[in-house]
Amino acid sequence: MTHAWIQSFIFLGLVLAIAVPLGPFIAKVLAGERTFLHPVLGPVERGLYRLMGIRGDEDMGWKAYAWAIAAFNLLGIAAVFLLQKAQGALPLNPEGMGKVATDLSFNTAVSFTTNTNWQAYGGESTLSYLTQMLGLTVQNFLSAATGIVVVVALIRGLMRRSALGIGNAWADLVRTTLYVLLPLSAIIALLLVSQGTLQTFAASVKTTSGQVLAMGPAASQVAIKMLGTNGGGFFNANSAHPFENPTGLSNLIHMVAIFSIPAALCLAFGTMAKDRRQGWAVMAAMAVIFVAALSVTTWAEAKGNPGLKGLPVNQMVSTEQGGGNMEGKEVRFGAANASLFATITTSASCGAVIAWHDSFTPLGGLVPLWLMQLGEVVFGGVGSGLYGMLLFALVGVFIGGLMVGRTPEYLGKKIEAFEMKMASIAILLPSAAILIGTAVAVLHAPAVASISNPGPHGFTQVLYAFSSATQNNGSAFGGLSVNTPFYNYGLALCMLVGRFGVILPVLAIAGSLARKKYTPESVGTLPTHTPLFVGVLVGVVLLIGALTYLPALALGPLAEHLTLR
Amino acid sequence: MTTHSRHTAPARPLFEPAIVKRALVDAFRKLNPLHQLRNPVMFTVWVCSAFATALWLQALTGQGEARPSFILAIALWLWFTVLFANFAEAMAEGRGKAQAESLRAAKRNVKATKLAGPDRNGPSSTVEAPTLRIGDLVLVKAGETIPGDGEVLEGVASVNESAITGESAPVIRESGGDRSAVTGGTLVLSDWLVIRISTNPGETFLDRMIAMVEGAKRQKTPNEIALDILLAGLTIVFLLAVATLLPFSIFSVKAAGQGSPVTITVLVSLLVCLIPTTIGGLLSAIGIAGMDRMIQANVIATSGRAVEAAGDVDVLLLDKTGTITLGNREAVAFIPSEGVNIHDLADAAQLSSLADETPEGRSIVILAKEQYGLRERDIRVLDAHFVPFTAQTRMSGVNLGHREVRKGAASAIEDFVQAKGGRFPEDLRRRVDEIAMAGGTPLVVADGAKALGVIQLKDIVKGGIKERFAELRNMGIKTVMITGDNPLTAAAIAAEAGVDDFLAQATPEAKLKLIREYQTGGRLVAMTGDGTNDAPALAQADVAVAMNSGTQAAKEAGNMVDLDSNPTKLIEIVEIGKQLLMTRGSLTTFSIANDVAKYFAILPAAFVATYPALGALNIMGLHSPESAILSAVIFNALIIVFLIPLSLRGVKYRPMGAAQLLQRNLFVYGAGGLIVPFVGIKLIDMLLVALHLTA
């Protein structure tokens, strides 16, 4: 247990060490200021604008911005869909993969465009290298960039005064990809290759014992998969696969990469708000929930499986073994690492896994499930985590502001009916998708047939799938056969609702806030950088999450836990 | 709240029997679903109640999903939930109506003497007041009631406006200037007035007030709308969470192979317990009560929006005279002319003021006693003859035999001295100018033909006002003093009163400019005004309180009217506005926090048959599933009743910073909201068991 905690603190320290310089850097890039990368990449940026016929300094209103983002993403879905359909006739296909079924292609296209990376396919058994690189990896970059530019637009809305525009979507996308995502991914890919992650166009290899070893250009995709909180593995076994995640060090790189940008964006928010404390407060709220969640998972998994009590099985932590509940876990990583990774990947909407969440203890599996249901706001997806958290901050400020007897304000902007309407929609739509999706599935016989476990655990499998898809996490609980038309189309729909049902209201709020006047701060203003406000924010997130999902959780992991106990 | 500036009627008791009786009837009348549609939360409860009733009727036929008596109990308590919320609203409205009725008493059907022309002796006719239109001229004589709002064209009269203000002292109304506005329903006590009617029937000030307090014209305020949206959003979330429980339960029963799917009765109960019925049921009562509290402070707001905006104000523009300083001035120094002994001056000053009962006069006597040890003398013993102040002489004083001691304005004394053959000393003239320049009032004292010196009078800052401003500063509100004084004087008084800033030599234009400047900086400005020349600034200010004694133009420009014409009222108005928002926020928090306990009551009850292990969630140890659900529903209904006094009275406001205020309210309503229902539900459960009211 001590080692688990030391490792967790090293992890958090590394994230902080990266976020502190990266946050202000991102703020600078998106403000269009010069950085040390401009001498090299500046000409590329200008060249791209000329190529696409864009004026980078042209300001867009929120509707134009939203149209740009929506059109850009729809195009992405179409491109990935068509690529899968045509891959058989295209190069870089040493294994001779044929065209992918329509429902699966659609699911995968939506999944990678919405930053979900839910995988109803097995990478090495379904997709060509070209599809993985040109379709999935490209969308890994673009969906991450989409999340980042949306939160930046929201922050601009908070900061601008009596303004109509919230920035230029095209310039924001280009700058994010060019100056932030590409350089960082290159560094991570090289680090991973140094640890043994594969990067090759060679075909699969048959070992002397007859085992077929899948190959491929994994490192370039894995780097952005973690950095962009995408989570879609090159291989079916995801980060548990030794060719994706070969060593303990590569595992640490994976974990740190997931949190780097979400944490940095909090600080970028502080920089853009010209009040760094605001960024730290939001990050503190995230960190509080993360540490609490991590403690529960680690404790639950270290305790081991109660079903093995009385059998000649040693689950104790000792110098001989990591101990704990080892079912479904990589022996290389052990229960503690798996708990940490699972908490990180579900706090952030990454969804990469190094262990099967299906095999976690009921409580250990409840935490990742609930973290997703909270709305992926504990660090969350790149950009989406922060804009989700800022929505909760608006709700917190609204109720808190009323309690101190003023029309609520956040960063000097009054929070009124329109903002509350949009925030309510953004919180409501994903909840509706998860609950209604699960309800339909458990009544629909073919969908029930996909469930592998009886009882509450089977219910959890379905609930997990809809939570993961809707909140754009993409991790699989496992145990549920999801490559069926029902799940492929149903979950794709949930992914779209969970993504654009939040992005559009967020951009609407950005537009509405930008138009507002600024109200200077006074002692009568509710301060939003204090520990008290951090507490309010944590309370709002947990309370809304608990109240919405407690009944469902009671029939799933809670019932299972109380029964097994 | 300090009450030193209030002289309003004592607050109405919270539960006046007559109002309660009428509210009880109204609570049933409001069961009309069309009325409920206005409030999405309570409409949901209404639908649930109707649903539960239908389930009970079905159960009576023997095909019910549970015991009919259980379903009936749930249905009844759901109806009670709606009724209690209706009762709260009706109580708030009833209190408003009671206020309106006492106002309406003033609106008796009066007859008016309508003049054909401006000549009051010209032809006239007697008409009913409601037939008067804008521009009609009426003559009102002593003992008659003014038939409508209007402007005095001619005449001076004392008017009893107690029907409107509750203030029994009569006020003077005369043509021209800032005292020319009269209000319909008030009574002329002496003399006569020729009035030009300025409003049509049904639109008079009194009419608008009555409509306002009756809640007939009540529109939802911006903030209320925003909260409504949030509550509606939460209601839908809970509707989803509860509605999907049925499929989840069906699946679970199949998976576990035991128990039966959750009943609709339980789902409906769970839904009503979870949706924010506490705040939803009390929301409109809170809004009406806020308006009502304004009226009890003798302020009429023209809209709920104005009341709400008052809570947001961050700059107060306050007139110096009457608000910050008393109207009266106080003697602070005797300054002798060259060659005059200061004791002689003090002696003469005291003599001249012995019979002067004005506050200024008293302050001179006191200064003479405190600084020069001059004992107060009895004017009768001295055989002195008091010469009172008149507008002609502009002096007052005493005659002691042939000795004539006078005090008064410099020019008046100069005339007096010269008439006696004396000379007004040059150095004294300079002293007088110096005092005037520094914002003081110089009073010159003369003994016969000799001008002795000058008494310096100064503004007196109201007691306790400095502390009041400090409180405002703690609330984050900036105070700005508006005065016609020169900057030096203004600075001195501003420092003494502890205001944050001042505007000296203020003109209406300068006031308007100042307000615009603050607003451009994003601040909300409140001000008071009474004169016609205040109208532009009043129209520009976010919260503009017109004095009832002010002109019609000022009242039209403002969004509140202070019936007491008390400029310090602005501070109270801000507090009432804040209180309104705080009450909403606190009850919302309380309402949502309550849900945690209700889950712990209902979830195990609903699913223990399917998964017996879920019984572990019954941490309150409730007797049985039925008693647990019933207790939660009963608690949810009763809590509305318990919180009616709070929503009518408002959460207590304390002048402190936002951070402390939040901490305090979070503790009381957030933590309290978590804990209270655990205790309440357990107690109700124990009671149900003790009374054998549950299975």
Side-chain angles (χ1 to χ4, degrees), chain B residues 33-51:
Chain B
L34 287 177
H35 177 85
Q36 299 292 328
L37 263 177
R38 263 174 68 93
N39 183 334
V41 178
M42 291 321 290
F43 182 69
T44 309
V45 183
W46 190 94
V47 172
C48 287
S49 313
F51 215 82

Side-chain angles (χ1 to χ4, degrees), chain B residues 38-39 89 92-93 218 224 279-289:
Chain B
R38 263 174 68 93
N39 183 334
E89 190 183 77
E93 282 174 356
R218 209 179 84 84
E224 204 177 345
I279 178 66
L282 294 171
L283 192 56
S284 77
I286 294 169
I288 300 169

Side-chain angles (χ1 to χ4, degrees), chain A residues 400-431:
Chain A
L402 285 184
M403 274 203 280
V404 301
R406 265 172 85 102
T407 298
E409 299 150 357
Y410 191 49
L411 302 182
K413 290 299 180 77
K414 288 207 183 311
I415 308 305
E416 292 164 301
F418 184 78
E419 287 74 31
M420 282 332 288
K421 190 191 286 177
M422 290 300 146
S424 299
I425 290 174
I427 291 171
L428 190 64
L429 283 181
S431 318

Side-chain angles (χ1 to χ4, degrees), chain A residues 173-439:
Chain A
L173 285 168
V174 168
R175 286 173 183 156
T176 307
T177 312
L178 200 59
Y179 296 102
V180 182
L181 297 176
L182 278 171
L184 283 173
S185 298
I187 296 170
I188 294 171
L190 289 175
L191 285 174
L192 290 177
V193 169
S194 80
Q195 293 301 304
T197 304
L198 276 192
Q199 181 73 8
T200 173
F201 285 136
S204 58
V205 175
K206 202 167 193 174
T207 61
T208 45
S209 59
Q211 186 185 3
V212 178
L213 296 179
M215 299 275 149
S220 58
Q221 182 171 335
V222 171
I224 184 66
K225 154 198 163 193
M226 312 315 288
L227 185 71
T229 62
N230 297 285
F234 190 90
F235 302 108
N236 194 23
N238 210 307
S239 290
H241 198 295
F243 288 173
E244 277 199 29
N245 189 6
T247 66
L249 184 59
S250 75
N251 192 51
L252 185 64
I253 295 169
H254 274 219
M255 296 192 293
V256 172
I258 296 175
F259 266 17
S260 295
I261 292 183
L265 279 172
C266 294
L267 302 184
F269 165 55
T271 307
M272 292 175 75
K274 297 194 178 60
D275 181 358
R276 285 169 192 256
R277 299 171 306 179
Q278 303 290 347
W280 283 106
V282 173
M283 179 133 91
M286 293 176 172
V288 167
I289 303 178
F290 173 75
V291 171
L294 177 63
S295 314
V296 176
T297 317
T298 306
W299 168 79
E301 291 308 299
K303 248 177 46 165
N305 184 345
L308 299 179
K309 246 181 246 161
L311 298 174
V313 177
N314 182 1
Q315 300 188 83
M316 292 300 289
V317 183
S318 67
T319 47
E320 304 297 315
Q321 60 160 10
N325 171 28
M326 278 303 289
E327 184 196 313
K329 295 195 173 64
E330 249 286 4
V331 190
R332 292 183 296 145
F333 299 128
N337 243 321
S339 304
L340 177 60
F341 200 106
T343 312
I344 294 168
T345 199
T346 50
S347 300
S349 81
C350 181
V353 291
I354 61 167
W356 269 203
H357 297 176
D358 190 30
S359 298
F360 275 34
T361 59
L363 281 186
L366 180 146
V367 172
L369 175 57
W370 197 45
L371 280 170
M372 296 190 296
Q373 290 172 336
L374 292 182
E376 291 294 15
V377 293
V378 182
F379 294 96
V382 287
S384 61
L386 183 57
Y387 64 63
M389 197 54 144
L390 291 178
L391 286 179
F392 280 113
L394 294 188
V395 175
V397 157
F398 184 78
I399 298 175
L402 285 184
M403 274 203 280
V404 301
R406 265 172 85 102
T407 298
E409 299 150 357
Y410 191 49
L411 302 182
K413 290 299 180 77
K414 288 207 183 311
I415 308 305
E416 292 164 301
F418 184 78
E419 287 74 31
M420 282 332 288
K421 190 191 286 177
M422 290 300 146
S424 299
I425 290 174
I427 291 171
L428 190 64
L429 283 181
S431 318
I434 293 174
L435 290 170
I436 295 175
T438 309

Side-chain angles (χ1 to χ4, degrees), chain A residues 395 398-400 402-408 414 416-417 420-421 424 428 431-432 435-436 438-439 442-443 448 451 455-456 458-459 517-527 532 536 543 546-548 550-552 554-555 558-559 562-563 565, chain B residues 223 225-227 229-230 233 236-238 240-241 244-245 247-252 255 311-312 314 473-476 519 521-523 578 581-582 584-586 588-589 592 595-596 599 603 607 611 613-614 616-617 657-659 661-663 665-666:
Chain A
V395 175
F398 184 78
I399 298 175
L402 285 184
M403 274 203 280
V404 301
R406 265 172 85 102
T407 298
K414 288 207 183 311
E416 292 164 301
M420 282 332 288
K421 190 191 286 177
S424 299
L428 190 64
S431 318
L435 290 170
I436 295 175
T438 309
V442 296
L443 291 184
V448 172
I451 298 171
F459 178 75
K517 286 195 300 188
Y518 169 79
T519 312
E521 202 180 320
S522 74
V523 275
T525 317
L526 175 74
L532 182 64
V536 169
L543 207 58
L547 295 179
T548 312
L550 198 62
L555 291 176
L558 276 180
L562 293 171
T563 310
R565 183 172 66 142
Chain B
N223 198 276
I225 293 170
L227 182 56
I229 290 171
L230 180 70
I236 300 174
V237 166
F238 288 126
L240 283 168
T244 51
L245 260 186
F248 294 173
S249 158
I250 292 171
F251 173 84
S252 301
D312 285 350
D314 31 28
R473 203 167 301 118
N474 288 339
M475 287 156 62
Q519 286 175 335
R523 298 185 181 276
K578 284 194 178 294
L581 296 184
M582 277 171 46
R584 281 194 198 134
S586 300
T588 304
T589 308
I592 298 171
D595 284 358
V596 175
Y599 265 139
L603 282 184
F607 299 118
Y611 294 124
L614 282 178
L617 293 181
L661 208 54
L662 177 65
Q663 195 161 5
N665 286 339
L666 263 185

Side-chain angles (χ1 to χ4, degrees), chain B residues 9-10 14 37 50 54 56 73 131 151 184 211 221 311 332 467-468 478 549 565 568 608 654 686:
Chain B
L14 213 48
L37 263 177
W56 170 62
T131 63
E151 197 86 8
T221 56
V332 288
E467 292 69 30
R468 211 71 202 273
K478 182 174 171 166
S549 58
S565 305
T568 321
V608 75
R654 288 176 169 75
M686 286 162 64

